[in-house]
Amino acid sequence: GVIPIHVHAARADRPDRPDWCVLDLDPKDAPFSHVVELARALRDLCRTIGLTSYPKTTGQKGLHVLVPLGGQLTEAQSRTLGELLARALEQAHPQIATTARAISARGGKVYLDWLQNGTGKTIAAPYAVRPRPGAPVSTPLRWSEVDGRLDPSRFTIRTVPARARRLRNDPALPVLSERPDLLAALGRLQALLAGRPAPSPAR
């Protein structure tokens, strides 16, 4: 019970100002290929509204996608952003995505869990070992790795140390330092949800 490390999105000196918003793509009984498809769709959605995003395995069946906040939102506002992103993704991919929390209501779709955001909520930390057969590790990924060949079970306590040495730079590290223009991004996201064209982010 002491192997996994779960972390808050916020730092100890500013507990109500999270560094990231997270969407947990939980397949339960859905194909993992749908998780990959939705993760990439979420990446594209974030790009459309002017946000970056960082994927990692959960150490179980799904993927986490972290969106940097730079401590600019409260926990409640981060939760709202997560919900808006999840609703937009569900709206665009209703055949494979759902925000229904009850397992019986998911219909074999990937659950877009935005409720991992908010006061007191935690996620498995990057590089945390999970207490499951094979000792899988919650592993930060490059977006180029999130494709049809991705197999989260390959990232274990035996394989991840060598991977980390090979990569040298943690793919998820920028999530702790980026400060995006969240006001503009939220405006674009609201426009998309309302069926209006979103203004392009400044380049």
Side-chain angles (χ1 to χ4, degrees), residues 83-174:
E83 180 179 8
L84 291 173
L85 289 170
R87 301 288 183 196
L89 202 57
E90 179 184 36
Q91 182 175 293
H93 301 271
Q95 300 86 2
I96 61 173
T98 182
T99 56
R101 186 162 178 80
I103 294 175
S104 59
R106 296 180 192 174
K109 301 175 183 179
V110 176
Y111 174 44
L112 309 175
D113 188 359
W114 51 273
L115 294 170
Q116 303 271 6
N117 302 287
T119 304
K121 298 293 184 178
T122 62
I123 62 171
Y127 302 106
V129 182
R130 310 304 301 273
R132 296 174 61 85
V137 173
S138 178
T139 305
L141 304 170
R142 297 167 297 191
W143 274 117
S144 61
E145 298 175 294
V146 182
D147 59 19
R149 295 168 296 178
L150 178 62
D151 178 4
S153 68
R154 296 202 326 262
F155 304 104
T156 71
I157 197 170
R158 294 185 182 276
T159 64
V160 167
R163 168 188 165 83
R165 288 192 296 270
R166 185 175 69 253
L167 291 182
R168 296 189 180 181
N169 295 321
D170 182 345
L173 193 59

Side-chain angles (χ1 to χ4, degrees), residues 6-200:
H6 286 71
V7 291
H8 294 272
R11 308 184 193 202
D13 60 347
R14 49 179 188 179
D16 190 43
R17 294 286 171 173
D19 284 309
W20 67 73
C21 171
V22 60
L23 251 63
D24 181 2
L25 279 54
D26 179 5
K28 200 63 179 179
D29 298 319
F32 185 71
S33 60
H34 291 176
V35 174
V36 169
E37 181 178 348
L38 289 170
R40 293 174 67 89
L42 178 55
R43 175 202 59 185
D44 294 343
L45 171 61
C46 287
R47 286 176 176 172
T48 297
I49 63 175
L51 297 176
T52 53
S53 56
Y54 297 90
K56 73 178 185 71
T57 66
T58 63
Q60 300 195 70
K61 291 184 177 181
L63 294 175
H64 285 151
V65 178
L66 306 177
V67 178
L69 302 179
Q72 300 175 86
L73 299 183
T74 65
E75 293 276 12
Q77 290 167 335
S78 172
R79 188 182 179 99
T80 298
L81 173 60
E83 180 179 8
L84 291 173
L85 289 170
R87 301 288 183 196
L89 202 57
E90 179 184 36
Q91 182 175 293
H93 301 271
Q95 300 86 2
I96 61 173
T98 182
T99 56
R101 186 162 178 80
I103 294 175
S104 59
R106 296 180 192 174
K109 301 175 183 179
V110 176
Y111 174 44
L112 309 175
D113 188 359
W114 51 273
L115 294 170
Q116 303 271 6
N117 302 287
T119 304
K121 298 293 184 178
T122 62
I123 62 171
Y127 302 106
V129 182
R130 310 304 301 273
R132 296 174 61 85
V137 173
S138 178
T139 305
L141 304 170
R142 297 167 297 191
W143 274 117
S144 61
E145 298 175 294
V146 182
D147 59 19
R149 295 168 296 178
L150 178 62
D151 178 4
S153 68
R154 296 202 326 262
F155 304 104
T156 71
I157 197 170
R158 294 185 182 276
T159 64
V160 167
R163 168 188 165 83
R165 288 192 296 270
R166 185 175 69 253
L167 291 182
R168 296 189 180 181
N169 295 321
D170 182 345
L173 193 59
V175 81
L176 297 176
S177 57
E178 291 185 2
R179 289 179 60 84
D181 185 344
L182 293 171
L183 188 60
L186 284 167
R188 295 183 193 103
L189 181 55
Q190 288 175 332
L192 287 174
L193 284 166
R196 303 192 305 271
S200 298

